[in-house]
Amino acid sequence: MNVVDFFKQKRDVLSVHPFELKDFLSPSLRDYWLELRNKANNSQIGLLIKDHKLASNDDIAAPAEPVAQPAPIVMKPEAEKLFNELNDTLGEVIHVGQWLTVDQNRINSFADVTEDHQWIHTDPERAAEESPFKTTIAHGFLTLSLLSVLTDSVDPDNQKFPTAKMTVNVGLNQVRFPYPVKAGNRVRASTKIQSVTPIKRGLEIVQELTVEIEGVRRPGCVAESVIRLHF
């Protein structure tokens, strides 16, 4: 008898006389096996598997419920005008602020508010001897906190978006401090628009803000800021 005929014969025998694993076990092991199987079948997972029905190709899928579409945003005329203006300037510098001096008094005041009196910020004598910059430097968060004034966002007489009733700071996507601002440096900020998105009652703007240090090639801060204008 060749191998193929052997397996055919065994298949015919098994089809007439099916068997289970328990048929090969000793009586003691068989009782243990049946008890274990009953516990598994009656467990929560077993019941879930037993009740679960796989969908066949003949099953008819229930029609999906229609997804409610958000109502279209209707922009006010002043918002739509600014939206079009900003979209035409994406990636371009739209604003450069005035120079501002970051002196030691300003650094010390920030240290008092934040309770960060690390000597690299507040001890000019020690900084002159031990710091690689040979002078004190501004806190990175001080430079970051100056973005509002450097971008003319807090001057009521010189606003960057004068047609908006209110500007809300949503947050920052990312922030880097490529080079420290030394005590006595002058800094200013430039603004590039990355994206403009209409929202309810206004616009959401993502902008890149770069803090330039006078006489230094590398910027003191580069931040991606998110603001919302309400009209």
Side-chain angles (χ1 to χ4, degrees), residues 37-54:
R37 189 180 65 175
N38 290 335
K39 287 183 178 179
N41 289 337
N42 294 326
S43 66
Q44 186 174 5
I45 295 178
L47 293 174
L48 289 174
I49 295 175
K50 188 182 299 182
D51 293 337
H52 179 67
K53 296 181 180 180
L54 297 177

Side-chain angles (χ1 to χ4, degrees), residues 102 138-148 150-151 172 174-182 186-191 207-214 216-225:
V102 182
H139 308 69
F141 286 154
L142 168 56
T143 305
L144 185 66
S145 69
L146 291 173
L147 286 176
S148 294
L150 292 175
T151 57
L172 300 163
Q174 58 182 8
V175 180
R176 294 292 184 270
F177 303 109
Y179 197 81
V181 176
K182 299 178 182 179
R186 294 207 307 167
V187 297
R188 67 178 179 182
S190 60
T191 303
Q207 51 188 359
E208 182 186 85
L209 308 178
T210 303
V211 178
E212 174 190 356
I213 307 172
E214 188 176 32
V216 178
R217 179 179 58 85
R218 299 173 65 185
C221 177
V222 180
E224 190 173 89
S225 167

Side-chain angles (χ1 to χ4, degrees), residues 75-91:
M75 290 186 286
K76 292 184 178 180
E78 54 269 33
E80 185 175 6
K81 180 180 179 182
L82 182 59
F83 173 80
N84 294 329
E85 291 175 353
L86 293 179
N87 264 313
D88 290 338
T89 64
L90 293 181

Side-chain angles (χ1 to χ4, degrees), residues 2-21:
N2 58 32
V3 176
V4 176
D5 293 336
F6 173 79
F7 279 111
K8 285 183 178 179
Q9 180 181 357
K10 290 299 181 182
R11 183 192 62 186
D12 295 337
V13 172
L14 291 176
S15 64
V16 178
H17 303 286
F19 69 90
E20 294 185 3
L21 177 61

Side-chain angles (χ1 to χ4, degrees), residues 73-84 163-165 198-203 229-231:
I73 295 175
V74 179
M75 290 186 286
K76 292 184 178 180
E78 54 269 33
E80 185 175 6
K81 180 180 179 182
L82 182 59
F83 173 80
N84 294 329
T163 57
K165 293 181 180 179
I199 59 173
K200 190 175 181 180
R201 294 190 295 273
L203 300 173
L229 307 181
H230 295 271
F231 293 85

Side-chain angles (χ1 to χ4, degrees), residues 29-200:
L29 288 177
R30 184 184 307 166
D31 293 339
Y32 177 76
W33 165 255
L34 292 175
E35 181 182 358
L36 180 63
R37 189 180 65 175
N38 290 335
K39 287 183 178 179
N41 289 337
N42 294 326
S43 66
Q44 186 174 5
I45 295 178
L47 293 174
L48 289 174
I49 295 175
K50 188 182 299 182
D51 293 337
H52 179 67
K53 296 181 180 180
L54 297 177
S56 68
N57 292 334
D58 297 330
D59 290 340
I60 300 176
E65 296 183 3
V67 179
Q69 298 296 326
I73 295 175
V74 179
M75 290 186 286
K76 292 184 178 180
E78 54 269 33
E80 185 175 6
K81 180 180 179 182
L82 182 59
F83 173 80
N84 294 329
E85 291 175 353
L86 293 179
N87 264 313
D88 290 338
T89 64
L90 293 181
E92 301 176 5
V93 175
I94 66 164
H95 180 270
V96 178
Q98 301 297 316
W99 289 106
L100 181 145
T101 301
V102 182
D103 56 20
Q104 190 61 51
N105 287 334
R106 186 185 296 272
I107 296 173
N108 291 342
S109 297
F110 188 83
D112 290 338
V113 170
T114 60
E115 299 186 13
D116 181 357
H117 295 90
Q118 189 178 176
W119 64 268
I120 62 173
H121 305 304
T122 60
D123 191 335
E125 290 76 17
R126 183 176 178 182
E129 293 183 1
E130 301 182 28
S131 172
F133 306 108
K134 302 306 178 184
T135 185
T136 52
I137 60 174
H139 308 69
F141 286 154
L142 168 56
T143 305
L144 185 66
S145 69
L146 291 173
L147 286 176
S148 294
V149 65
L150 292 175
T151 57
D152 292 325
S153 299
V154 292
D155 184 355
D157 299 323
N158 187 26
Q159 296 185 37
K160 191 162 54 174
F161 305 111
T163 57
K165 293 181 180 179
M166 181 174 60
T167 302
V168 178
N169 176 18
V170 178
L172 300 163
N173 290 337
Q174 58 182 8
V175 180
R176 294 292 184 270
F177 303 109
Y179 197 81
V181 176
K182 299 178 182 179
N185 279 160
R186 294 207 307 167
V187 297
R188 67 178 179 182
S190 60
T191 303
K192 290 182 182 179
I193 302 298
Q194 303 287 11
S195 66
V196 187
T197 306
I199 59 173
K200 190 175 181 180

